[in-house]
Amino acid sequence: MRIRWRSRKSYLLLLRNCLLRGPTNIILCVRFCLHHAYVGLLMVLGLLIWWNIAEMNDCGAQRVIDSVCEEYFSKDVSGSLCKVLCETREIQPGVCDKLENGLKSFRHKNLLSKVSSDYELIWPRGNLEEGVSTRKFVAEIDRLIKMELGIANSDSLLNRLLKDADVNSDDKLNLGEAQNLWRLIHQPFFLIFSLFQDLSVFPSINGTCGGLSVWNYGWEFEVNYLFDRHGFGWTFGFISNNSYRWTLPAWNKRAKVMMGLLELTTEFYDRSEGRFHLCNMNGLTLFHSKKYELFLTESSLPLSGPQISDALRNVSCRTWRDCTLTPQCQTQCDYRSRKCTSMLVKPTLSHVCDIMADYLLFDAPSFIKVSLGRLLRRCQRLTWSVPDLDLQHSLIIVDLKDVIWGHIQHQTR
Ligand SMILES: *[C@@H]1O[C@H](CO)[C@@H](O)[C@H](O)[C@H]1NC(C)=O
Ligand SMILES: *[C@@H]1O[C@H](CO)[C@@H](O)[C@H](O)[C@H]1NC(C)=O
Ligand SMILES: *[C@@H]1O[C@H](CO)[C@@H](O)[C@H](O)[C@H]1NC(C)=O
């Protein structure tokens, strides 16, 4: 025992000397590494991983900005942010946040910049020819919005986009302004986020320049995970299938975030432009601010009905299980034509109730537990084939809010 301890001590001493006085004590280092080759190997491995992470952290933000600014200076593109991005250089490129679905995003403080990652390839093709009349251009934008979002009523979104694109407010679009808008609307998340700018659960736009858009994210409010099915608790799933509960905030706080989710569900159901659905709730990370307000990113996949049925249009099926875009967005199968239809199997609300059952019911205050459980079961059974779905939908939401609010208000009084 004693001997082992001493050898470990000398080992640590060697390591320290090697690390601290490495350059001046090369022989010691070499000796150390010879005796402990595996440590050396680990260090090299660590260095490689660190190098890789540093590489990933870049994702070419500076290159993107340089190329956008080059076009800005040659007046090929414009946008509300071009001045601070290219002239005063107040916006920092930031670190890589994500690189997925053809989208690059980089973060600096509470701002997230997004740009199509193959913009160098797409942009020349997406370039507007000079001389395209404004009316034709606007009609084309309108067509794209309707097609991309699958909505019938695009007037307010179109007007807002045109107004934002008109940087010098002369009620006309010059080539640079039109070019910027053209590039932006080819990025699907951009239209979705723009459509929902009236909802505080989505990030608000800070500005755009040459196809790059910058968004205000709540990072500065210290956005947290409410739950994250890939996160900490779930890695202990092998110990207990309830381990996700270990890291959850207090019941009242979770209830408050869930109220936000219910409100969003109502909003999505009754949206004037068309009905929307949250298609990714299984792997969904629900964020919340310090005030326990809901915060969503595009990974929650808000999609309109037509977007879902469009994605499943050519899929042949035997049961509705074949018509699965995501577990929360499945459509019915037409047994005669063996094709997926546009009829969803379950409304978003019933999936929201699945989440609430997992995250709210198990430790609900005893005097609402029974009624909450009953309501949630009724809600989880909802399908689109229920004849009076509209009525059921709003009744269940009203009842759930009553039960939960009743308790929260009772608590804070
Ligand atoms: C854009 O972000 C900057 C820095 O956070 C902020 O000062 C500015 O007010 C934001 N502008 C808008 C329009 O949100
Ligand atoms: C957890 O495991 C128990 C026993 O295996 C089972 O009865 C229960 O339904 C599981 N709970 C969840 C949330 O999967
Ligand atoms: C469906 O098939 C049609 C014709 O075969 C094709 O034009 C269309 O792109 C396909 N749609 C999808 C989403 O695969």
Side-chain angles (χ1 to χ4, degrees):
M1 200 58 208
R2 233 187 129 107
I3 295 170
R4 266 179 66 189
W5 168 237
R6 189 180 295 150
S7 84
R8 181 175 304 165
K9 214 161 133 192
S10 68
Y11 166 98
L12 287 175
L13 205 70
L14 259 168
L15 181 62
R16 206 196 68 189
N17 284 346
C18 175
L19 287 178
L20 291 183
R21 290 185 276 150
T24 55
N25 217 339
I26 282 290
I27 297 178
L28 194 66
C29 252
V30 169
R31 218 178 67 201
F32 176 81
C33 289
L34 279 180
H35 284 279
H36 303 279
Y38 58 95
V39 176
L41 217 69
L42 272 179
M43 278 158 80
V44 170
L45 208 71
L47 205 67
L48 274 176
I49 291 173
W50 176 77
W51 192 35
N52 248 326
I53 289 174
E55 187 90 320
M56 264 162 48
N57 258 335
D58 176 18
C59 76
Q62 191 57 54
R63 248 193 351 264
V64 171
I65 292 180
D66 286 348
S67 124
V68 162
C69 288
E70 201 174 295
E71 291 176 292
Y72 166 67
F73 289 125
S74 62
K75 293 204 163 42
D76 285 332
V77 300
S78 169
S80 55
L81 275 187
C82 288
K83 214 181 180 84
V84 293
L85 190 71
C86 305
E87 289 181 26
T88 58
R89 300 228 160 223
E90 280 161 51
I91 292 185
Q92 306 289 319
V95 295
C96 203
D97 182 67
K98 240 188 314 189
L99 188 62
E100 63 178 28
N101 300 335
L103 207 66
K104 261 181 193 177
S105 50
F106 21 93
R107 177 155 61 91
H108 179 70
K109 290 195 182 146
N110 63 330
L111 296 181
L112 201 71
S113 314
K114 289 170 180 272
V115 70
S116 173
S117 59
D118 54 355
Y119 73 103
E120 280 133 330
L121 296 175
I122 274 189
W123 284 6
R125 273 192 278 126
N127 270 358
L128 274 170
E129 291 150 39
E130 210 151 352
V132 174
S133 79
T134 306
R135 199 189 305 168
K136 207 168 137 200
F137 176 70
V138 171
E140 185 62 12
I141 296 274
D142 192 35
R143 191 187 64 82
L144 264 166
I145 293 177
K146 286 185 172 132
M147 192 184 77
E148 197 57 61
L149 291 180
I151 55 177
N153 174 8
S154 59
D155 292 351
S156 71
L157 177 60
L158 180 68
N159 287 336
R160 194 145 34 88
L161 289 177
L162 290 174
K163 191 162 159 283
D164 287 350
D166 184 15
V167 182
N168 56 14
S169 307
D170 62 353
D171 288 329
K172 281 188 292 219
L173 288 184
N174 61 33
L175 183 68
E177 289 165 348
Q179 179 99 298
N180 181 33
L181 180 56
W182 186 249
R183 289 174 181 184
L184 289 169
I185 66 164
H186 282 87
Q187 302 164 27
F189 87 93
F190 179 82
L191 286 180
I192 287 278
F193 275 19
S194 298
L195 182 66
F196 295 127
Q197 282 298 287
D198 55 331
L199 303 181
S200 62
V201 299
F202 286 97
S204 68
I205 193 157
N206 189 282
T208 64
C209 178
L212 180 106
S213 55
V214 178
W215 303 84
N216 300 308
Y217 270 63
W219 309 113
E220 73 176 341
F221 307 115
E222 205 181 301
V223 170
N224 287 305
Y225 301 124
L226 172 67
F227 62 82
D228 174 1
R229 291 193 194 216
H230 305 298
F232 176 77
W234 292 86
T235 47
F236 290 92
F238 60 92
I239 301 174
S240 148
N241 61 359
N242 295 330
S243 55
Y244 69 90
R245 295 175 184 173
W246 300 347
T247 54
L248 293 179
W251 191 86
N252 271 9
K253 295 173 173 168
R254 269 177 280 147
K256 195 156 177 255
V257 186
M258 286 299 153
M259 295 297 276
L261 193 55
L262 280 179
E263 247 141 57
L264 179 72
T265 311
T266 314
E267 176 69 34
F268 268 27
Y269 195 83
D270 298 326
R271 192 87 196 167
S272 62
E273 294 92 350
R275 191 161 286 164
F276 277 79
H277 312 273
L278 281 176
C279 282
N280 183 19
M281 290 207 278
N282 229 11
L284 175 68
T285 303
L286 275 187
F287 296 93
H288 64 88
S289 68
K290 266 200 173 135
K291 289 189 324 223
Y292 293 92
E293 276 151 9
L294 182 66
F295 191 78
L296 290 183
T297 66
E298 74 267 21
S299 64
S300 58
L301 267 187
L303 296 177
S304 68
Q307 278 179 307
I308 297 164
S309 55
D310 199 47
L312 293 170
R313 186 148 41 100
N314 292 349
V315 176
S316 35
C317 57
R318 287 176 180 280
T319 73
W320 54 268
R321 283 193 182 77
D322 296 326
C323 303
T324 301
L325 184 62
T326 67
Q328 287 77 38
C329 288
Q330 299 169 312
T331 66
Q332 314 266 6
C333 176
D334 180 352
Y335 297 108
R336 264 168 298 170
S337 68
R338 292 260 164 98
K339 289 275 176 219
C340 296
T341 66
S342 56
M343 280 281 292
L344 262 87
V345 177
K346 282 178 149 212
T348 294
L349 179 60
S350 83
H351 300 294
V352 167
C353 289
D354 286 345
I355 290 184
M356 290 174 70
D358 274 357
Y359 288 89
L360 227 42
L361 193 56
F362 70 93
D363 65 343
S366 54
F367 66 94
I368 64 166
K369 197 165 186 170
V370 175
S371 51
L372 184 61
R374 203 179 321 117
L375 259 175
L376 287 179
R377 280 191 298 278
R378 205 173 101 207
C379 169
Q380 286 170 301
R381 282 197 302 267
L382 274 186
T383 64
W384 282 102
S385 30
V386 171
D388 51 352
L389 181 66
D390 285 358
L391 182 68
Q392 293 283 342
H393 198 272
S394 49
L395 275 181
I396 287 178
I397 289 185
V398 167
D399 287 352
L400 278 171
K401 281 184 175 172
D402 270 357
V403 169
I404 296 172
W405 259 135
H407 178 70
I408 294 180
Q409 279 174 338
H410 176 78
Q411 283 270 305
T412 50
R413 214 177 286 141

